[in-house]
Amino acid sequence: MQEDTQVHVGIDLQPGTLTLTRNGKDLAVYHALVQFASPHANPWAAQEVKFSAKGPDGKSVGLTVDLLNDTWDGPRADVPDAIWKVVALAATSAGDVGITYAPPGRA
């Protein structure tokens, strides 16, 4: 049985380049960790992004965004375009390990 191939790609973001809102509070993102997988040698898929951010009070918080729909057979429809841009940037950064990836609707 072949195991799923996974790659985690971390990227640092400049302050002010991405703000996410959770429970009505703006979070200033400074790091993203994107998980890519190639299950059973299938094409690469982005599964989730873990964001590190600072809240309005200056405290660090984490936020995880699931990128696959509930049946795990395609992208989640409600993911904002800005998050897909972060995923594409991470995929570009991981090009040296063989990841080729395009956000949904841009293949």
Side-chain angles (χ1 to χ4, degrees), residues 40-92:
H40 308 290
N42 288 325
W44 287 100
Q47 294 184 336
E48 72 178 18
V49 183
K50 292 182 180 182
F51 290 103
S52 299
K54 290 198 179 195
D57 57 3
K59 292 183 180 180
S60 291
V61 296
L63 175 66
T64 300
V65 176
D66 292 323
L67 299 172
L68 295 177
N69 61 26
D70 293 337
T71 57
W72 292 77
D73 63 356
R76 192 172 288 281
D78 59 351
V79 175
D81 193 47
I83 293 175
W84 288 117
K85 289 179 181 179
V86 170
V87 171
L89 179 61
T92 300

Side-chain angles (χ1 to χ4, degrees), residues 15-16 18-20 26-31 52-56:
L18 179 61
T19 300
L20 299 176
D26 286 343
L27 306 174
V29 177
Y30 60 86
H31 186 79
S52 299
K54 290 198 179 195

Side-chain angles (χ1 to χ4, degrees), residues 88-102:
L89 179 61
T92 300
S93 299
D96 61 337
V97 294
I99 291 176
T100 55
Y101 175 82

